[in-house]
Structures are given as structure tokens and as C-alpha cells.
Amino acid sequence: MSVDLPVHTSLAGQTVTALRELVLTGEIAAGERVNEVGLAQRLGISRGPLREAIRHLASEGLLVLTPNRGAHVPVVDDMDVHALFELRSALECAAARLAAERRTDDDLTRMRQVSAASRAAFTTGEFPYRLDLAFHKALLDAARSPLVAEQVRLAQQRVILLRAAKEVAFSHERASMDDHDTLIDALEAQDADRAAQVMSTHLDRVRDQLLTGR
């Protein structure tokens, strides 16, 4: 997989984005060390911006820095998964409640568009994580709580990191899309309790799939 640095951002921002993509797609696998020399050559940059990007991703929990050994992608055990989903559930269930109270018609339209795009991709044998993130971002936009949104984004990234190392069953992905549609219905009805419950069930399913592989 080739990596092109994105345009219209600073070199530092481009490098963070490119490195994050390599980690989240599993191209740099769990436990694997980041090869600074090879990666800098691949991206066509010096090692200075790359090291800044490594430190940035370490602050997000996507890399682990070890003195005199460089950086590697973390290996996560079952206890880490449970802890991560406790955090994510607390944040996203709260966001679902807020979204039910604060959403606009434009928010609902955006979520329906992303849900339709997810189903279209599913029929071709894909379920890109970007579409899943786009749906949850639309929900967070509807919640209108930037501080919650930022913490959810960091937690979501770490879930994607876990999923990159696993083969996700299509039955699970179909259930996730069904959850998204049910959540939209709850938001449209401005039913905060229902929205939070759907989100809780959705996240429990994702957690259990990561733990069992089914």
C-alpha cells in the first residue's frame, strides 16, 4: 500500500495523518516497531517531522514510545478492551442523549446519507471504517459537545486499531448498520433514553466481537 501525503495542510499535519492511516489500517501491525528510516524515505520527508508525528500518535495512545527502542504499535489484551469500551460507552451514550435533544433535520439527513453509503459499500463486500467513523461523527456533531466529541474520537481510534488486527464477521457489520438506523429513528423521535440504550447495545456488540472474534 502506497501512502501519499495529503495536501492543503502543514507538513506536520500531513505526516500525522499519513502515519495514523498506516497504524489504523494495520499496515504497521500490533507489536510492530516503526521503522523511522524506511518510513521517512517512503514519505519523502526528513526524520524530524516523522518523529513529531510519532510523539503525537503516542499522545493519542496509537503508539508506545520506549526509551532507546523507538516506537511500536501497542498490543492490547482483554482487560484493555473492557476498559476502553467502558470509557467509550460512557461517552457515546451521553452523546446519544445530547443528540436526541439537540439534533436538527440536517443532522438526521447527514446520518441517513452515511447509513445509505455504508449499506451500498456492504453490498460490494466492504465496510470501510471511514464510513463507520463518519456516522459516529455525524452523531457527535448533532450532540454539539466539542469536548465529548474529542474524547470519543480518541477512543474510537483505539477501537479501530484493535479491529485492524481482526477479521470482522459480515453478520456483525450488518447488525451495526441496523443499529445505526434504529439510532436515527430514536433521534428523530427525540427519545434520549432509547438513543442511549441503542448506543449501549451497539457498543456491547462491538466489544464482544473483538473479544470473541465472532
Side-chain angles (χ1 to χ4, degrees):
M1 171 182 170
S2 62
V3 177
D4 296 322
L5 290 176
V7 296
H8 307 310
T9 61
S10 67
L11 178 59
Q14 293 175 34
T15 307
V16 167
T17 299
L19 183 57
R20 183 185 289 117
E21 182 80 0
L22 290 172
V23 172
L24 293 181
T25 58
E27 184 161 350
I28 304 177
E32 183 177 346
R33 183 183 174 197
V34 177
N35 183 334
E36 290 187 15
V37 175
L39 192 52
Q41 292 175 345
R42 179 177 176 180
L43 297 177
I45 60 175
S46 69
R47 292 173 69 180
L50 179 58
R51 285 174 174 168
E52 289 182 19
I54 288 171
R55 287 193 291 270
H56 184 93
L57 263 63
S59 73
E60 295 183 354
L62 295 181
L63 291 173
V64 175
L65 282 170
T66 304
N68 303 317
R69 297 187 62 185
H72 68 274
V73 178
V75 177
V76 180
D77 61 22
D78 287 356
M79 290 183 63
D80 294 323
V81 173
H82 280 290
L84 178 57
F85 273 86
E86 284 179 357
L87 172 62
R88 187 174 173 186
S89 184
L91 290 167
E92 291 204 64
C93 287
R97 286 183 176 278
L98 291 173
E101 298 167 358
R102 300 174 179 177
R103 61 82 181 158
T104 65
D105 289 344
D106 286 344
D107 293 323
L108 294 175
T109 297
R110 175 57 182 157
M111 282 184 274
R112 289 193 181 102
Q113 289 172 340
V114 176
S115 181
S118 297
R119 290 191 181 277
F122 183 82
T123 62
T124 67
E126 295 184 58
F127 190 77
Y129 76 81
R130 290 179 187 83
L131 287 173
D132 189 56
L133 281 182
F135 181 87
H136 285 267
K137 181 181 184 303
L139 171 73
L140 291 167
D141 289 344
R144 289 173 174 77
S145 179
L147 291 177
V148 170
E150 175 59 15
Q151 294 307 308
V152 170
R153 183 186 71 82
L154 295 175
Q156 285 174 338
Q157 285 189 158
R158 296 177 69 179
V159 172
I160 294 168
L161 184 63
L162 295 175
R163 296 178 74 172
K166 296 179 179 288
E167 184 174 341
V168 179
F170 261 32
S171 60
H172 166 76
E173 301 298 11
R174 187 185 298 278
S176 289
M177 291 186 294
D178 290 343
D179 288 343
H180 289 176
D181 289 339
T182 303
L183 184 55
I184 292 171
D185 291 341
L187 297 182
E188 183 174 28
Q190 295 188 301
D191 188 337
D193 289 341
R194 177 61 174 156
Q197 181 57 53
V198 173
M199 179 62 75
S200 177
T201 300
H202 174 68
L203 293 176
D204 284 349
R205 181 182 293 113
V206 176
R207 178 202 62 209
D208 293 345
Q209 192 278 330
L210 286 169
L211 290 170
T212 65
R214 295 191 299 272

